[in-house]
Amino acid sequence: MGRPKARVSMADVARLAGVSSQTVSRVSTGHPGVVGSTRQQVLDAMKELGYRPNSAARALKSGQFRTIGVILFTLSTTGNSRTLEAIATHAALEGYAITLIPVAVPTQDSVLGAFTRLGELAVDGVIVIMEVHLLDSATVTLPPHVQVVVVDSDAGDRYTVVDTDQADGARQAVTHLLDLGHRTVWHVTGPEESFAGERRAQAWRDTLTAAGREVPPPLRGDWSAESGYRAGLRLADEPDCTAVFAANDQMALGVLRALHERGRAVPAQISVVGFDDIPESGSFIPPLTTVHQDFAEVGRHCVQGILRQIEHGETEHGTTLVPTRLVVRASTAPPRPA
Amino acid sequence: MGRPKARVSMADVARLAGVSSQTVSRVSTGHPGVVGSTRQQVLDAMKELGYRPNSAARALKSGQFRTIGVILFTLSTTGNSRTLEAIATHAALEGYAITLIPVAVPTQDSVLGAFTRLGELAVDGVIVIMEVHLLDSATVTLPPHVQVVVVDSDAGDRYTVVDTDQADGARQAVTHLLDLGHRTVWHVTGPEESFAGERRAQAWRDTLTAAGREVPPPLRGDWSAESGYRAGLRLADEPDCTAVFAANDQMALGVLRALHERGRAVPAQISVVGFDDIPESGSFIPPLTTVHQDFAEVGRHCVQGILRQIEHGETEHGTTLVPTRLVVRASTAPPRPA
DNA sequence: TCGGCCAATGTTTACGTAAACATGGCCGCC
DNA sequence: GGCGGCCATGTTTACGTAAACATTGGCCGA
């Protein structure tokens, strides 16, 4: 296909339509003050030439890129990829594009690197999906006019933060098990760098304490099913253990397998609750009782929050918590009478 | 913080350093021909002012955005999000940014819409992660100079295509089961719009036929664990069924649950093989034998392919297949002697 | 009837960068 | 010792768009 010309500019359209390029600009941006017949001529010319506005020129002129950057460490956790998807969808709805800024390793340095690169990137705002104690605001210099929204953090005083209500979710999980009659609840935690994990663990501890129950030693996991399996093997050896709260569904899956291999029936002998409600959790053996996270809602709030800052200049920080909901399936039951 | 100035331009740096803005440009782009002492002055001035190059102006001048667009339908499948992650990582390595273009529904219209929007987006190339029979090249007008690489498609004659070697993976799965002594292998397919699913099914059929075995009717799934569960319930009622090949791990999970509920032991009575090797599959009950897909490699080839086109103008199309590998775990065994 | 005003459109300019071209000073060679 | 050439740096210009300002021409009211 012999391409007629590398790129078609407003000037080309203007020439063909017999108007000035400014009139083309007015048509292109939908400004008023162009009479119908002229507008139509311009539109025809645009179509004939296959005109597309040059976004670089627009951005240069307006200082706005209509783009949101998303910094994240990994897409391999359900939450991150689902949140990103929701962000992308809502941003597209508002006419914003998403630029992905992957950070190879979750260290302070690489996050700093991402923020630095950001200065050169064409973004109006940034959403950070990451544990934020990695960000030491004192050493990070954000380019001016770049707004930030953070997921999975407690930095609500410095940034706008959106997150799932981790604490309430954990509380619901533990309360559900206590209500069933379990004396206490064991916990398989996330990795210690994770704020989400930390908060789930804290709420687990608080709920038990508030109910006057003993707090068993937590078992440290790393979100992976494999780590859940290792924890499960140890739990299977705890004669007193009748209820487990795993900090995510993958680890719960590992716990289920360990208990199954050790011949500990779920839920007859031991009840298990997860966190996330990944699509597969309803197909575990047995189907998992878990805490549902609304990632779509988190993504929606992120975009909403960043756009409020970008477009309306609002800089009021604060934390938005998205509610969770316990989904009761078949992995929990009252404890077997001793 | 009283921001000193909204944005710092080369002119500002030039003024402070006492040089011309062109010299600043040369330092900024790393061009030779600037003597050490001058260079240092400029660098100092940049640092003092917090100068960051304006990417919009650069793009306008150079006609290159150093950005790759990724069109995809959903991030909720393991494959898509893992592939995207690899693409983002490799693109970042090459100094390219990734712009996400989510398509709400996988219809021809919305893909067309994405391509149209693309014309206005600041991208040098596009990677499409999607079933491509949705793309009718006759009606799609791509902006000039935008290159395309496609995942999950057979359009190798029109585009550069990168994909997992679906056929070989399925062949390995089926052969493994036949080698164990199973007379034939049942198949739970993906949705019919999926090329990947189609090809796995075709290879399953071909492998059985080539071995002179009977081809049982395939059971249609939709990638979800739930659909696998439904298929599994039906398979549990097939007295002849001793081996099942599910087109992905999620459906295999559903099959496992159905068989478990119906009291059909895996692998003693029925062997199950999946596809994808998601991280959790090693923690299924029992741990799943499955076909490992190297999404990282797919992503790498995508970026490599698109950059070859963008930077070297190569337009030779073709298909790159990334090899798969069977991971044998505990869900397969020889059939019980009749 | 004519001045003024508004609506439609045209002209100029600036956004920040970098290529292309221009300048000036110094060094080496004959 | 003079001149050609080259290296370091400066000046001009263009990329495509859109805001700000300028210019038409027609219509309405006094």
Side-chain angles (χ1 to χ4, degrees), chain B residues 135-151:
Chain B
L135 298 180
D136 179 344
S137 67
T139 58
V140 169
T141 314
L142 270 176
H145 295 309
V146 172
Q147 307 297 334
V148 182
V149 168
V150 172
V151 181

Side-chain angles (χ1 to χ4, degrees), chain B residues 24 134 142 154 178 255 274 311 338:
Chain B
V24 178
L134 288 174
L142 270 176
D154 64 354
L178 295 182
V255 169
E311 300 192 338

